[in-house]
Amino acid sequence: MKLKKQFAALFCALLIAILSACGQSGGSSQASASQPASSAAASQAESEAPAEESVPEEADAEAAPVEPLAAPEGSQVFRGTVEDFAVSDDGATVLLMRRAVGTSFPADLKVKLIADGSADTQFGMDADLLGNGSFLEVYYTPGQENPDGSVTALVVNDALSEDLVYYNGTVVEVAPDPEQEGEGYLLLDPLEEGGMQYRFNYGPETQFVIPLEQIAVGTQLNVYHSPAATRSLPPQSYALEVSAYTAPAEGEVPAPVADPAAPVESDPVATPSAEETAAPTEVLSPVTG
């Protein structure tokens, strides 16, 4: 009887051990089976996640502002307003332009734009914005006229607006800086009716087409200057080129008068930026009409 009880106890213990081992094996298999499902779900989630939007390089390039181009070596400058367009015999576009009032450029100029792939005209502006009324800076090779009397444009830049960069006036004060050689300012009264007095600072970047020694009270000047100005009275700007004033020929359209209320920069010395002083470094002496 005692032997039967021991055998029964042993049989129960063995049975429990077997059942326990089966349970652990099943749990392990279930855990290992669930792991790949989790990895697959994660992979699917990653694949379904929206990709980050990227801006095409072409779009960035189109959004970037077009910088003005420097004067080609040996070129001649002309600044004026487009009054009309024409087409040359070879199908090229020709700009019919008038000079900025008070300058000694030719009174009018026909500017041919080349786009034949060999020596294309270079644009320091968005060429699509070019139209009647555009005020441009044009560089061309002097002495090389086309059969139709036009000149071929090497570079075309946007010159903003005539009344923002040109001023015609009479000198009322010449004030060299006693501490800085080659620097000072010129105070001018306007020649245009309704204009206002202006002070033009000058320095190493200023090109004097008329020698500074010849400028005195009463001298009439044509000043090409930075579009930046102070809010002082009188306003101040930086002179890039100073020339003798050339009276318009009979019938020439007068320049518009600058609006004194137009937004201006508040830089106290109106020092030009690198872009504003880059252009007047080559052959810039205006040709005479």
Side-chain angles (χ1 to χ4, degrees), residues 123-161:
F123 287 89
M125 61 177 293
D126 185 348
D128 292 336
L129 300 180
L130 197 154
N132 288 346
S134 297
F135 186 65
L136 306 175
E137 177 180 67
V138 176
Y139 291 102
Y140 63 96
T141 302
Q144 294 186 9
E145 288 191 355
N146 299 308
D148 61 359
S150 65
V151 297
T152 299
L154 303 175
V155 165
V156 176
N157 290 323
D158 182 3
L160 300 181
S161 168

Side-chain angles (χ1 to χ4, degrees), residues 75-134:
S75 63
Q76 178 65 55
V77 68
F78 176 89
R79 298 187 189 95
T81 301
V82 177
E83 294 196 311
D84 207 349
F85 289 78
V87 179
S88 64
D89 292 339
D90 57 0
T93 299
V94 177
L95 309 179
L96 307 181
M97 303 185 65
R98 68 164 176 84
R99 67 181 171 187
V101 176
T103 65
S104 57
F105 299 131
D108 52 69
L109 191 69
K110 293 193 290 186
V111 179
K112 185 176 183 180
L113 307 179
I114 300 298
D116 59 9
S118 58
D120 293 352
T121 299
Q122 302 299 306
F123 287 89
M125 61 177 293
D126 185 348
D128 292 336
L129 300 180
L130 197 154
N132 288 346
S134 297

